[in-house]
Amino acid sequence: MTGCGADESPLSPAELAERKMQFLFHLRSKGVTDRRVLEAMEKIDRGAFVRGIFAARAYEDMPLPIACGQTISQPSVVALMTQALDVHPRHKVLEIGTGSGYQAAILSQLARRVYTIDRFRKLVIAARALFEELDLTNITAITADGSHGLPEQAPFDRIILTAAAEDPPSPLLAQLRVGGVMVLPVGQSDTVQNLIRVTRTEEGFDYAELRQVRFVPLLEGLGNE
Ligand code: SAH
């Protein structure tokens, strides 16, 4: 990955400012109304998480390729998932699927502590470097198979998956605090998946379907990079 910060961007500062304004306007038009989520989306520059030839498209509402054959999610989906997760300042949050680190960075603005796991070491190392550069000190990025969760830090107030499983992995359900919320895409890969919200109650789990989405699959074991 080559360095490609704002100073190397092909966009002029005025164009960049205009695109960022349009970006936020577009999020609102997609139903992102939570003020804290919008503030986090404004503060965390998606341009920092998209490198190389795709950097100029960072403010477009589309997924973009990152290293290891993965993608940074569409920003309106990041915002809507974050809104559905309803993160509070005292929460401890677990994300499965670090990818570029963008979603974790957004969560870091809303939560006390964020743990994020990816099966590719290369992605975790790059995300860690970015978190340090951006001074996001409340994120811990870990290389592991996230379907087992992170038992040593459980229970979590909030859990978010940014890769699609056929069903919510049972270790993750077990690591959700009573009253806690998990947001995840479920369904077969390469078909339309459903974004669902699972709430843990004293008696069990409540499920709500939110919308259709398309994510890369949750895979077993570690990646080869
Ligand atoms: N949240 C990311 C986008 C995630 S793309 C962002 O903001 O950029 C989905 C990610 O899930 C990929 O990086 C993929 O490697 C990861 N992934 C898939 N299966 C996994 C598993 N079992 N454990 C941890 N990460 C996994």
Side-chain angles (χ1 to χ4, degrees):
M1 248 189 225
T2 53
C4 188
D7 50 341
E8 293 172 48
S9 167
L11 301 173
S12 72
E15 280 172 327
L16 206 59
E18 170 66 21
R19 288 205 188 186
K20 286 184 182 176
M21 210 180 72
Q22 289 295 339
F23 178 79
L24 290 166
F25 186 75
H26 176 78
L27 292 179
R28 283 195 197 93
S29 78
K30 287 281 185 172
V32 186
T33 52
D34 186 314
R35 185 181 50 81
R36 290 183 69 231
V37 175
L38 285 165
E39 279 170 9
M41 299 290 293
E42 182 171 8
K43 177 139 184 256
I44 300 296
D45 184 0
R46 190 169 184 252
F49 295 83
V50 183
R51 303 283 165 133
I53 54 168
F54 292 104
R57 309 186 72 170
Y59 309 107
E60 294 175 25
D61 193 18
M62 52 168 61
L64 293 170
I66 56 171
C68 305
Q70 304 303 311
T71 50
I72 175 171
S73 311
Q74 191 176 340
S76 61
V77 172
V78 171
L80 288 167
M81 283 175 83
T82 307
Q83 185 165 279
L85 200 62
D86 187 30
V87 182
H88 295 204
R90 295 178 61 85
H91 281 169
K92 182 160 72 167
V93 182
L94 175 65
E95 180 197 25
I96 310 302
T98 312
S100 68
Y102 180 60
Q103 172 76 73
I106 299 287
L107 292 168
S108 78
Q109 302 301 296
L110 303 168
R112 177 171 58 82
R113 180 101 227 143
V114 179
Y115 294 89
T116 181
I117 303 180
D118 205 286
R119 56 192 290 279
F120 283 107
R121 208 169 81 91
K122 185 174 169 183
L123 292 177
V124 168
I125 289 171
R128 261 190 214 138
L130 263 175
F131 299 150
E132 201 167 318
E133 191 182 313
L134 300 173
D135 206 21
L136 304 175
T137 54
N138 63 340
I139 311 176
T140 305
I142 298 157
T143 308
D145 178 348
S147 44
H148 306 299
L150 195 60
E152 60 271 32
Q153 293 297 340
F156 294 95
D157 301 290
R158 299 290 186 261
I159 300 179
I160 181 170
L161 277 80
T162 60
E166 282 188 32
D167 294 299
S170 44
L172 295 180
L173 290 172
Q175 289 171 34
L176 191 61
R177 190 189 294 285
V178 172
V181 174
M182 172 153 77
V183 170
L184 74 159
V186 288
Q188 307 276 347
S189 56
D190 289 335
T191 58
V192 176
Q193 304 144 358
N194 269 317
L195 187 66
I196 64 166
R197 179 174 51 213
V198 183
T199 308
R200 184 164 193 176
T201 65
E202 295 280 359
E203 293 79 33
F205 297 93
D206 286 344
Y207 294 83
E209 279 189 16
L210 304 178
R211 66 201 309 266
Q212 296 195 324
V213 284
R214 196 159 174 182
F215 276 85
V216 300
L218 187 75
L219 297 176
E220 272 179 35
L222 292 186
N224 53 4
E225 290 187 81

